[in-house]
Amino acid sequence: DAKTTQPTSMDCAEGRAANLPCNHSTISGNEYVYWYRQIHSQGPQYIIHGLKNNETNEMASLIITEDRKSSTLILPHATLRDTAVYYCIVRVATGLTGGGNKLTFGTGTQLKVEL
Amino acid sequence: ETGVTQTPRHLVMGMTNKKSLKCEQHLGHNAMYWYKQSAKKPLELMFVYSLEERVENNSVPSRFSPECPNSSHLFLHLHTLQPEDSALYLCASSQEGRGTTLGYTFGSGTRLTVV
């Protein structure tokens, strides 16, 4: 799976949009971009994923550049409860066997939402 | 509650003890995973089970022994652990198959302390 690069930490004021960038310049055509977050000492939580098109759900929006070499996760109105480590992961969606199933986590971005 | 339940939430064990961690998923998924998260380190994938068959073992020491009796249950048997094995152990499940792109669902983890 392609490697990703994220800033180590970011701050955001409550109520403002949090824009978390991710670089994945070596992404392959069949690799999806996934975002997860981990609130302190809990299990990671799936947020959103996409292949080429921008995606939106009740939690966030995912903007993927046309060349697919980078993406941005947008939390439109950040709250204190959004303070967490955010992970950007690229992964192939494959069959059951082989190494394609695995989700490999990096160090992510520590987002701190403040009053 | 995410649909993946891990027990116990906390475990303290001596180096000579034998204990087991349990994971149960209620999502009808066909793949399950064990991850380890040590303090200030990224999540490390330990084992992958697909259709109850172990398909990946990331060079985990033999003092960790996984068991997957059916597609809903996953165990991690522990014996003669070392203090450096103290960590958060996370279980996850997913539905895998050609073209499937859904994300992983994680449990809340077991916080293990080896004394």
Side-chain angles (χ1 to χ4, degrees):
Chain A
D1 292 339
K3 184 177 176 180
T4 63
T5 305
Q6 298 177 253
T8 303
S9 63
M10 292 182 65
D11 294 332
C12 179
E14 189 178 33
R16 303 294 294 271
N19 298 298
L20 293 98
C22 179
N23 287 322
H24 30 79
S25 58
T26 59
I27 192 170
S28 301
N30 61 348
E31 286 183 310
Y32 288 74
V33 180
Y34 286 81
W35 283 84
Y36 286 76
R37 73 180 182 183
Q38 187 176 22
I39 295 170
H40 182 63
S41 292
Q42 296 181 22
Q45 176 190 23
Y46 165 83
I47 300 173
I48 199 167
H49 75 279
L51 182 63
K52 296 180 189 176
N53 300 321
N54 299 337
E55 302 287 344
T56 296
N57 62 21
E58 65 278 4
M59 290 183 69
S61 295
L62 173 61
I63 308 298
I64 303 174
T65 58
E66 194 169 338
D67 63 7
R68 302 208 327 120
K69 292 185 177 182
S70 65
S71 60
T72 301
L73 179 75
I74 302 172
L75 308 178
H77 305 287
T79 71
L80 297 178
R81 285 187 288 185
D82 292 321
T83 293
V85 178
Y86 287 78
Y87 299 98
C88 169
I89 302 166
V90 291
R91 173 179 175 254
V92 179
T94 66
L96 290 170
T97 59
N101 308 44
K102 61 186 179 185
L103 205 61
T104 304
F105 287 81
T107 53
T109 296
Q110 172 67 65
L111 175 68
K112 186 175 181 182
V113 181
E114 300 172 307
L115 292 171
Chain B
E1 185 61 51
T2 65
V4 177
T5 304
Q6 289 188 244
T7 54
R9 291 296 305 275
H10 301 273
L11 178 62
V12 179
M13 60 184 289
M15 290 190 283
T16 58
N17 290 161
K18 288 185 181 181
K19 296 286 184 183
S20 296
L21 309 185
K22 179 182 176 182
C23 177
E24 183 175 1
Q25 59 100 356
H26 315 278
L27 302 168
H29 288 168
N30 58 12
M32 297 185 77
Y33 314 83
W34 280 116
Y35 281 83
K36 173 186 177 182
Q37 188 172 33
S38 303
K40 303 191 186 221
K41 282 188 173 182
L43 281 81
E44 301 171 56
L45 180 64
M46 299 175 74
F47 300 105
V48 178
Y49 274 83
S50 176
L51 291 177
E52 302 154 38
E53 179 182 344
R54 190 191 312 178
V55 296
E56 185 152 338
N57 174 348
N58 278 344
S59 303
V60 179
S62 60
R63 57 185 183 269
F64 295 91
S65 174
E67 178 190 2
C68 187
N70 55 62
S71 60
S72 299
H73 293 87
L74 186 65
F75 295 89
L76 188 62
H77 304 299
L78 316 171
H79 65 97
T80 59
L81 294 192
Q82 305 298 313
E84 60 264 29
D85 296 322
S86 299
L88 180 67
Y89 288 84
L90 290 156
C91 173
S93 71
S94 68
Q95 182 64 27
E96 298 294 323
R98 192 167 300 281
T100 302
T101 60
L102 298 177
Y104 286 20
T105 301
F106 282 83
S108 300
T110 295
R111 173 69 62 186
L112 174 67
T113 303
V114 181
V115 297

